[in-house]
Amino acid sequence: MKIDKINQNYSASSRQSNITRAGSSTNFTGTSSINKDIMDLLPDKTAIKVMKKFEWLKGELGGILITALGTGAVAPIFIAFNPFVKAPKNATKEQKEDVENTKKYTAMRQPVSAVLAVLIQTSILKPIDKGLEALFNNAKYAKNLWLSLDQSSLSKKSYIKKQIKKEMKAEGVSFENKKAFEKELDTRVEAKLEAQIAQTAEKLKKTGQIHVGDRIVDNQTTAEVLNKVINDYIKDARKLRTKDAGLEFYKQRASILMNNEETFRQMFKDLPSSGAEIAEYLKNESIKTKNPDVQLILQEIINAPENLRASRCQRTLERIDTIRRTCDNNFTPELYLEKMKATNKELDKIIRNLKASRIKEAKNATEETIKQTIEKVASYCQFDSSDLRLKNKFQETETFQTNVNDLLKKIYKDVTKGYKEVIERRYKGFNQISKIAIGLCITLPVTCTALNWVYPRFMNLCFPKLSGKKKDNAQEVKNGGEK
């Protein structure tokens, strides 16, 4: 029953969103709200929410802790009870006991090793991160390092946050509580990040090059980033396109809404305040009406999450208005289908033009090539606001706008943001390689040395019987680290 319920809710949600794409503008915002609604529909949402609390284990610290858990808790079991290591066939009782104790003594080395690894490795993670971050984000140091990793002009958010904290502390401004402080801090950080993007984008607009301090990024990299931005715009255009297989469905749904417009307007005129009350009200209205089409729409709204029912009613009325505008106040199913096909044709043209505008040989790109390409992309993403059909489709999107200057400004910023993503990926790889190198050259030798010193003393203190057995064997004493 639960699965059927979810499928029913998903179907209703999908059909509602299809109408939005078919007859109104699409807004690519509100993803977090949609994710929350989907989460509320899942039968195991509690377990999923608990699991999400452990997302921090995906990081390097989590990797160290998971490895340590395996080393300290799992590996000892297989070492201590290894069936392939046993005394000779004719061994005495003492020899058999010595073999068992040897395995247990060796197994106990794993937890001690795991604890030391966690203590030593985690203690150096933060200093390494802070040191590398300061090197590549501070213009004073970054200008002497690789340009491909220089983040001084497009800094990491964590670095900016530390700088802003210092500035706020120097100002001596007091806040009512920690929440107020964090709010002001976030505002200043976002403003600083946006200012960096805007400044770099403005230089790109003037010169056709990305400037990082006094240095300039090579044209090939800039062209490749621009091509990636164009690909993203192509994806946005495809999202707006109504799939050919669904045109008939959207045509029929538009007919239902338009043929029952007065019924819906009357029903949704004075809705109850809460989602639960709306559901009860619509159930009663569904029973009263004999129209199966109206019952279908009402049931979809009833199946929606409680906090969305009021907005679903409002959106249904808005869709009716949108469909009417699309058909120039002269709705017929055939005309609406024709308008949808015309919009698809326009989107297909935009997609073709955007594909053709991509720089084919990035390695040969010049500053002029980059600027001309951006101007072409802006012209392809501009639409005429007097065309109601296109306005309904594009008016709330960021990728398609009416003002070409606003589009140019956006594209230059998108290219700048794209380059920032590139250097962040490069830096992440460099950061990981640096930590591996430091681990092999410094952390591993230190951990092994510490283990060889700590382990025999720990065993003498906590497990003297096992330690004593090992001391009887000169070779094992040597392996244990004591001389």
Side-chain angles (χ1 to χ4, degrees):
M1 289 298 293
K2 287 184 178 180
I3 294 175
D4 292 337
K5 174 75 171 174
I6 293 169
N7 288 336
Q8 188 179 25
N9 286 333
Y10 174 78
S11 177
S13 175
S14 177
R15 288 193 292 269
Q16 292 280 8
S17 62
N18 286 337
I19 289 295
T20 302
R21 290 192 296 270
S24 64
S25 60
T26 301
N27 191 345
F28 295 114
T29 61
T31 303
S32 60
S33 176
I34 294 172
N35 291 341
K36 183 180 182 300
D37 296 335
I38 294 175
M39 179 69 74
D40 290 338
L41 294 174
L42 297 176
D44 299 322
K45 62 181 180 181
T46 302
I48 295 173
K49 288 179 180 178
V50 171
M51 292 172 65
K52 282 182 70 65
K53 293 181 179 179
F54 293 92
E55 283 186 331
W56 60 274
L57 287 173
K58 293 191 297 184
E60 291 173 277
L61 178 60
I64 292 172
L65 293 177
I66 292 172
T67 302
L69 181 64
T71 302
V74 180
I77 297 174
F78 293 94
I79 295 173
F81 301 98
N82 187 348
F84 301 104
V85 177
K86 51 188 176 181
K89 186 176 181 179
N90 298 322
T92 63
K93 181 180 178 180
E94 289 76 13
Q95 288 176 322
K96 292 179 179 179
E97 184 178 351
D98 184 60
V99 170
E100 291 302 313
N101 286 336
T102 297
K103 291 195 291 183
K104 293 176 182 178
Y105 183 90
T106 305
M108 287 302 299
R109 186 181 178 91
Q110 301 304 113
V112 177
S113 174
V115 171
L116 288 174
V118 169
L119 291 175
I120 294 174
Q121 291 182 39
T122 56
S123 65
I124 68 169
L125 276 180
K126 196 169 183 178
I128 293 174
D129 282 331
K130 288 179 67 176
L132 291 176
E133 190 176 84
L135 281 175
F136 290 99
N137 285 266
N138 190 320
K140 180 180 177 181
Y141 309 118
K143 66 181 181 180
N144 299 315
L145 301 171
W146 302 281
L147 172 61
S148 59
L149 296 173
D150 189 343
Q151 296 176 293
S152 59
S153 294
L154 298 168
S155 304
K156 287 186 66 176
K157 185 174 183 177
S158 56
Y159 178 79
I160 294 293
K161 196 169 187 176
K162 291 172 187 174
Q163 302 307 308
I164 298 296
K165 277 184 178 180
K166 291 179 182 179
E167 292 176 6
M168 292 173 68
K169 186 176 180 180
E171 291 174 8
V173 182
S174 59
F175 296 88
E176 295 179 2
N177 48 48
K178 186 177 180 181
K179 187 177 180 180
F181 169 79
E182 292 292 339
K183 183 178 180 180
E184 176 64 18
L185 175 62
D186 290 341
T187 300
R188 295 193 186 194
V189 169
E190 291 303 322
K192 180 67 174 178
L193 291 171
E194 183 60 30
Q196 287 188 337
I197 294 290
Q199 185 177 3
T200 305
E202 185 61 28
K203 288 183 179 179
L204 173 61
K205 183 178 180 180
K206 290 179 179 178
T207 64
Q209 297 173 311
I210 296 176
H211 290 248
V212 180
D214 295 329
R215 298 187 286 182
I216 299 173
V217 176
D218 62 279
N219 291 336
Q220 179 177 348
T221 299
T222 305
E224 289 171 351
V225 173
L226 175 55
N227 283 343
K228 171 64 169 56
V229 170
I230 296 173
N231 289 337
D232 290 340
Y233 292 174
I234 293 172
K235 290 177 183 177
D236 289 344
R238 285 173 175 162
K239 288 177 184 177
L240 290 172
R241 193 184 187 283
T242 303
K243 292 183 179 179
D244 295 338
L247 288 172
E248 190 63 31
F249 169 81
Y250 305 140
K251 169 188 168 184
Q252 293 175 1
R253 181 53 61 91
S255 297
I256 291 174
L257 294 177
M258 298 304 295
N259 292 339
N260 298 282
E261 177 181 357
E262 292 305 319
T263 301
F264 289 126
R265 290 194 185 280
Q266 188 62 34
M267 283 185 182
F268 301 158
K269 185 176 181 181
D270 296 309
L271 291 171
S273 57
S274 71
E277 291 174 339
I278 291 174
E280 192 62 32
Y281 166 73
L282 294 180
K283 286 177 184 177
N284 293 332
E285 293 296 321
S286 182
I287 293 172
K288 291 178 185 179
T289 183
K290 303 299 182 181
N291 189 326
D293 290 338
V294 174
Q295 290 175 336
L296 173 65
I297 302 299
L298 295 182
Q299 190 59 49
E300 290 177 356
I301 298 174
I302 292 168
N303 290 340
E306 184 174 330
N307 63 325
L308 292 181
R309 287 172 190 147
S311 65
R312 284 288 178 87
C313 294
Q314 180 62 33
R315 285 167 55 197
T316 299
L317 299 180
E318 290 173 356
R319 290 187 191 107
I320 291 173
D321 294 335
T322 299
I323 293 168
R324 176 177 284 103
R325 289 195 301 269
T326 300
C327 295
D328 301 320
N329 295 317
N330 187 28
F331 172 80
T332 65
E334 293 72 22
L335 178 59
Y336 187 62
L337 178 62
E338 182 183 327
K339 294 288 186 179
M340 286 192 292
K341 289 181 177 179
T343 302
N344 275 356
K345 188 175 180 180
E346 185 70 26
L347 285 166
D348 289 339
K349 179 182 177 182
I350 291 172
I351 292 169
R352 287 195 302 271
N353 287 337
L354 288 174
K355 285 182 177 179
S357 68
R358 290 180 296 202
I359 300 175
K360 294 177 175 58
E361 294 186 9
K363 62 181 180 181
N364 297 326
T366 65
E367 299 91 89
E368 196 60 33
T369 302
I370 292 168
K371 293 172 71 175
Q372 289 176 356
T373 301
I374 291 176
E375 289 173 1
K376 286 181 182 179
V377 172
S379 67
Y380 297 147
C381 293
Q382 183 188 22
F383 69 92
D384 185 0
S385 60
S386 63
D387 188 327
L388 294 179
R389 175 175 53 82
L390 294 180
K391 184 178 179 181
N392 289 332
K393 181 67 70 172
F394 296 144
Q395 64 182 350
E396 291 184 14
T397 66
E398 292 184 358
T399 302
F400 303 97
Q401 300 180 28
T402 59
N403 189 303
V404 70
N405 290 326
D406 290 342
L407 276 167
L408 284 169
K409 187 176 180 180
K410 176 188 182 301
I411 297 169
Y412 280 113
K413 281 189 175 182
D414 286 346
V415 174
T416 303
K417 291 175 183 177
Y419 178 71
K420 183 175 182 178
E421 291 177 2
V422 169
I423 57 175
E424 284 179 349
R425 286 196 298 269
R426 290 172 179 169
Y427 175 80
K428 184 177 180 180
F430 175 81
N431 182 282
Q432 292 174 339
I433 292 172
S434 299
K435 287 176 182 176
I436 292 172
I438 291 172
L440 291 174
C441 299
I442 300 175
T443 310
L444 185 60
V446 170
T447 304
C448 291
T449 301
L451 178 63
N452 288 335
W453 188 89
V454 171
Y455 180 60
R457 289 163 177 77
F458 168 78
M459 293 301 292
N460 286 339
L461 180 64
C462 300
F463 301 96
K465 183 178 178 181
L466 291 177
S467 181
K469 285 287 183 182
K470 294 299 296 175
K471 288 178 181 178
D472 290 339
N473 189 315
Q475 182 61 38
E476 292 297 335
V477 169
K478 182 179 179 180
N479 292 337
E482 290 189 334
K483 297 181 179 179

